[in-house]
Amino acid sequence: GGYGFANWISQRGDIAGSYFVHHKNFHGFLWRHGKMTDLPPVGGAAWAFGNGVNDYGQVVGNETDANGNHEIIAALWSGGHGYDLNTLVDPNPLQMISADYINNQYVKDYGQA
């Protein structure tokens, strides 16, 4: 795509952000060691945004509708897999819709969601 932006730079220089892909949707990305990794939506939403990255290259963010108007889920991308953060916590009546920060405590890789 021709448009993108960074939202976070870790102390190691890893970058989390989003870019406009060729089919007119936003995806998140991780820029690490000079290589960009695509972070597509994981919860069925149209758009995904990378908001924060830790020193392990784990990215958190959110997914929205195709107009960017309604946040739908909070997301985590780790180890080549994407997760709806709501599925990684005990059942709860609250719905997480965005994650903006991740600390440097490694998040266990849960396998393919």
Side-chain angles (χ1 to χ4, degrees):
Y3 175 76
F5 51 90
N7 285 324
W8 193 270
I9 302 175
S10 74
Q11 290 185 0
R12 292 186 177 208
D14 297 337
I15 301 169
S18 303
Y19 74 106
F20 200 59
V21 295
H22 67 280
H23 46 50
K24 299 184 181 179
N25 288 330
F26 276 96
H27 283 193
F29 72 81
L30 167 65
W31 183 270
R32 186 170 217 210
H33 306 301
K35 179 182 174 192
M36 187 174 109
T37 301
D38 179 51
L39 305 174
V42 298
W47 291 3
F49 296 91
N51 296 334
V53 60
N54 67 12
D55 287 344
Y56 297 103
Q58 298 173 309
V59 177
V60 292
N62 65 297
E63 297 185 9
T64 71
D65 64 13
N67 297 317
N69 294 329
H70 300 349
E71 293 178 333
I72 298 169
I73 67 159
L76 165 71
W77 293 271
S78 176
H81 302 287
Y83 307 93
D84 174 344
L85 283 173
N86 292 288
T87 66
L88 302 181
V89 297
D90 291 332
N92 191 313
L94 301 175
Q95 175 79 8
M96 291 182 280
I97 60 171
S98 188
D100 296 320
Y101 176 78
I102 182 169
N103 67 20
N104 284 322
Q105 182 177 347
Y106 184 78
V107 177
K108 174 185 166 187
D109 185 6
Y110 290 90
Q112 195 162 12

